[in-house]
Amino acid sequence: MKQKIIVAIDGPSSSGKSTIAKLVAKHFNFTYIDSGSIYRAVTYLAIKNKLIKTGKIDVVSLIDLLNNCSISFSFNLNNQNVIKLNNLSIDKEIRTSEISNYVSLVAEINEIRKYVLKIQKDISYNKSVVMDGRDIGSVVFPNADFKFFLDASLDIRTSRRWNELKLIEKDLKFEEVKKDLLNRDEKDTSRKFSPLIKSKDSILIDSDELDITEVVDKIIDIIKKEITNK
Ligand code: DC
């Protein structure tokens, strides 16, 4: 078996990437990396330092700040990845709706993408990883050993996300969640640098008719077949 395996999982928001990537990584004992959390951490830093004003980001100051701080990952007691800013966990802080609202704005800046790319490469330097995101198979690891593109219809993704969010935001409307997802899809697919695309050599998995276990099993089977033949 090859020493180091890279598994790229891309797809739109709420297509189930992180849940599936985590389970695949656990099965093979690979490291799971949630690349969206790095963009969220940068957004958190920008908001905290008031570098986003009226929808505009002070990119020069943000890059300067980033060059003087550290964004890293560590493992908690459940062997789960925790993102840290200057060695402090910010895992909860990056999941707020404020961060979700601004993160696409931050993720479209090329200088920021270059900064995040370096973190992604450094983390994966000497280990097997399952990394999820929007441009993993197309830009970050164009030579990944396995590339998957997870998709599901807008209605299915909306209802999954709505069911999750309803637990905390009781009055949240289905249509509101749908609009937000549509907006994020639009931003992620139309931005100039590293837009969300399905690279030609990635395997498309449409999960409209599949549950989590079925998707995970499908991915595990594909990887197993390939690595046991090498
Ligand atoms: O997966 P997520 O929703 O936590 O990602 C947050 C944002 O980061 C999302 O709007 C798109 C962006 N992102 C990106 O541009 N490239 C990646 N590889 C991962 C996330």
Side-chain angles (χ1 to χ4, degrees):
M1 190 177 126
K2 236 179 118 182
Q3 292 265 300
K4 186 183 129 171
I5 307 266
I6 303 278
V7 181
I9 302 187
D10 290 301
S13 297
S14 296
S15 54
K17 296 182 302 290
S18 61
T19 309
I20 282 148
K22 258 183 224 160
L23 291 167
V24 172
K26 191 170 174 203
H27 178 90
F28 290 105
N29 202 18
F30 294 170
T31 301
Y32 164 62
I33 308 288
D34 168 4
S35 69
S37 69
I38 313 173
Y39 287 99
R40 286 174 179 271
V42 175
T43 309
Y44 171 77
L45 193 71
I47 294 174
K48 222 171 156 232
N49 288 279
K50 301 189 172 33
L51 297 180
I52 307 183
K53 280 184 198 132
T54 53
K56 283 227 173 311
I57 301 173
D58 178 350
V59 181
V60 175
S61 305
L62 181 55
I63 295 288
D64 195 42
L65 255 178
L66 286 170
N67 287 332
N68 288 294
C69 72
S70 84
I71 293 178
S72 58
F73 286 93
S74 71
F75 292 91
N76 65 15
L77 292 175
N78 303 320
N79 213 16
Q80 281 188 338
N81 244 298
V82 176
I83 190 151
K84 291 187 163 182
L85 175 65
N86 295 332
N87 261 340
L88 291 175
S89 168
I90 47 163
D91 224 46
K92 281 208 181 75
E93 289 82 347
I94 61 165
R95 308 281 164 202
T96 63
S97 49
E98 188 185 24
I99 303 281
S100 300
N101 288 341
Y102 285 110
V103 65
S104 312
L105 208 63
V106 170
E108 69 186 19
I109 302 166
N110 201 27
E111 290 94 326
I112 302 290
R113 299 206 73 85
K114 284 186 193 155
Y115 173 89
V116 175
L117 182 68
K118 183 169 183 324
I119 297 180
Q120 289 167 308
K121 295 268 188 199
D122 287 352
I123 298 171
S124 318
Y125 172 64
N126 55 0
K127 47 172 120 43
S128 294
V129 300
V130 180
M131 190 178 290
D132 75 346
R134 307 294 191 285
D135 61 341
I136 311 304
S138 56
V139 174
V140 182
F141 293 117
N143 297 320
D145 300 276
F146 299 94
K147 297 183 187 180
F148 297 95
F149 191 91
L150 287 191
D151 209 353
S153 65
L154 180 63
D155 275 339
I156 295 278
R157 289 186 290 126
T158 306
S159 83
R160 288 179 189 158
R161 182 109 187 100
W162 185 51
N163 283 324
E164 217 176 79
L165 288 174
K166 254 190 335 189
L167 301 174
I168 7 175
E169 296 177 46
K170 291 206 167 41
D171 298 330
L172 193 66
K173 304 262 181 312
F174 181 91
E175 284 308 321
E176 241 176 274
V177 178
K178 189 170 174 174
K179 204 172 127 199
D180 175 56
L181 278 185
L182 200 61
N183 188 24
R184 287 234 258 155
D185 285 355
E186 163 67 23
K187 284 201 171 114
D188 287 341
T189 52
S190 66
R191 68 173 172 237
K192 187 168 170 200
F193 304 105
S194 312
L196 168 69
I197 47 156
K198 182 198 163 302
S199 52
K200 280 201 186 93
D201 53 352
S202 66
I203 299 169
L204 174 68
I205 300 185
D206 188 317
S207 69
D208 268 11
E209 309 283 334
L210 301 173
D211 64 23
I212 292 169
T213 318
E214 288 171 314
V215 176
V216 171
D217 288 348
K218 204 171 173 160
I219 294 180
I220 289 175
D221 275 355
I222 293 171
I223 298 177
K224 256 193 196 155
K225 265 192 201 125
E226 196 54 38
I227 56 181
T228 46
N229 285 338
K230 277 185 181 168

